Amino acid sequence: MADHGEDKTHFGYKDVEATQKADMVAEVFHSVASKYDLMNDVMSFGVHRYWKRFTIECAAVRPGMRILDLAGGTGDLTAKFSHLVGETGEVVLADINESMLKVGRAKLQDRGIVGNVNYVQANAEALPFPDNHFDVITIAFGLRNVTDKAKALRSMQRILKPGGKLLVLEFSKPQNAAMQKAYDFYSFQIIPRMGSMIAGDAESYRYLSESIRMHPDQETLKEMMIESGFDQADYINMTNGVVALHRGYKY
């Protein structure tokens, strides 16, 4: 079952057939892959680096751990995790989108990050890994693009080791009206223009802004994580709730 109906789901603000959404999202990321890192820096004024750094700190990764960086795209988290787990550990960079995976692999290899990183093209709703396999799973700015978020969360819970944790870094709901108003203006008036100028694609960035508004708010996502089998879940708001880091624990 998709997010709001038996056969329908949302693609930004549009209702589409649930079976079509993955392909439509894929087209967005095929289009933006080559400019993805640059656009992240420009759109967030570099603040996305702080959000990701905080996520890495919360992951508390140690040498020898096995980490899944899901929807890992161009590999920002994977690069750091690779150093933290060391030669005895493993990091899997997984993404449903082949274009993003290629950009990520090339970027990391150019930086000399090889050996303990593997690359897997995978759908978050049906992850191709054994039960109780990973110490930590991260998904940064990817969950909102998944068609059936509950199914994906259950898939993540299944492959997480007892004692492990899931970290979901995602855009969320600003915590005051003034921030919400400014954020809406920026998202719908400025970001598509940046997308047009820098990536030659306003429409994909309009979709990304819409997809943020359709994503569950902080409390709803927390409840979804509990319903998906996590024994405990909480979240930390950043930048007044523009972004939230949800943490799910499996005991």
Side-chain angles (χ1 to χ4, degrees):
M1 185 171 171
D3 288 335
H4 75 255
E6 199 66 45
D7 300 309
K8 294 279 188 180
T9 189
H10 49 75
F11 177 76
Y13 289 161
K14 300 172 190 165
D15 278 352
V16 299
E17 297 295 326
T19 53
Q20 295 178 327
K21 179 170 177 177
D23 288 340
M24 296 172 77
V25 171
E27 282 305 310
V28 169
F29 284 94
H30 284 315
S31 174
V32 304
S34 64
K35 300 288 186 182
Y36 187 76
D37 285 340
L38 175 61
M39 277 296 292
N40 278 350
D41 276 332
V42 172
M43 287 189 302
S44 73
F45 305 101
V47 178
H48 77 101
R49 296 176 183 274
Y50 157 74
W51 298 329
K52 289 172 180 173
R53 189 160 62 242
F54 182 71
T55 302
I56 290 162
E57 288 171 6
C58 287
V61 169
R62 301 187 304 277
M65 280 188 167
R66 184 181 285 140
I67 314 298
L68 174 62
D69 181 12
L70 184 57
T74 57
D76 283 352
L77 297 185
T78 293
K80 185 65 174 174
F81 288 145
S82 172
H83 292 299
L84 292 171
V85 302
E87 292 180 3
T88 59
E90 179 193 12
V91 184
V92 176
L93 172 55
D95 203 291
I96 195 172
N97 189 275
E98 184 183 8
S99 298
M100 294 290 283
L101 212 52
K102 282 180 177 176
V103 170
R105 186 198 297 260
K107 183 170 106 178
L108 296 185
Q109 289 178 344
D110 284 348
R111 292 168 60 178
I113 298 171
V114 295
N116 64 357
V117 177
N118 292 306
Y119 301 88
V120 177
Q121 189 171 355
N123 184 336
E125 295 175 24
L127 291 165
F129 305 107
D131 294 357
N132 307 318
H133 192 64
F134 290 100
D135 296 288
V136 176
I137 300 172
T138 58
I139 178 166
F141 306 114
L143 186 61
R144 73 179 187 278
N145 297 309
V146 174
T147 304
D148 191 331
K149 296 172 184 61
K151 189 175 180 182
L153 289 168
R154 290 194 298 272
S155 187
M156 293 177 225
Q157 192 273 349
R158 176 187 65 78
I159 65 172
L160 195 63
K161 288 180 182 176
K165 62 186 160 187
L166 166 68
L167 299 173
V168 180
L169 179 65
E170 189 54 89
F171 291 105
S172 202
K173 186 172 177 56
Q175 297 300 287
N176 67 55
M179 175 62 93
Q180 182 69 63
K181 190 171 182 180
Y183 183 47
D184 284 346
F185 176 82
Y186 182 68
S187 297
F188 293 107
Q189 301 302 319
I190 307 300
I191 285 179
R193 291 178 191 174
M194 287 181 179
S196 178
M197 290 167 56
I198 296 170
D201 186 349
E203 201 56 40
S204 288
Y205 283 94
R206 189 169 291 109
Y207 156 73
L208 292 174
S209 293
E210 292 176 359
S211 71
I212 292 167
R213 301 315 186 280
M214 302 303 291
H215 186 66
D217 65 18
Q218 287 91 326
E219 283 293 327
T220 303
L221 181 54
K222 176 184 168 183
E223 288 306 310
M224 287 175 69
M225 292 171 76
I226 297 294
E227 289 168 7
S228 298
F230 288 91
D231 298 293
Q232 184 184 340
D234 59 20
Y235 61 87
I236 300 165
N237 282 321
M238 291 183 275
T239 318
N240 193 250
V242 167
V243 163
L245 177 65
H246 280 73
R247 303 181 292 188
Y249 302 90
K250 179 177 177 178
Y251 299 144

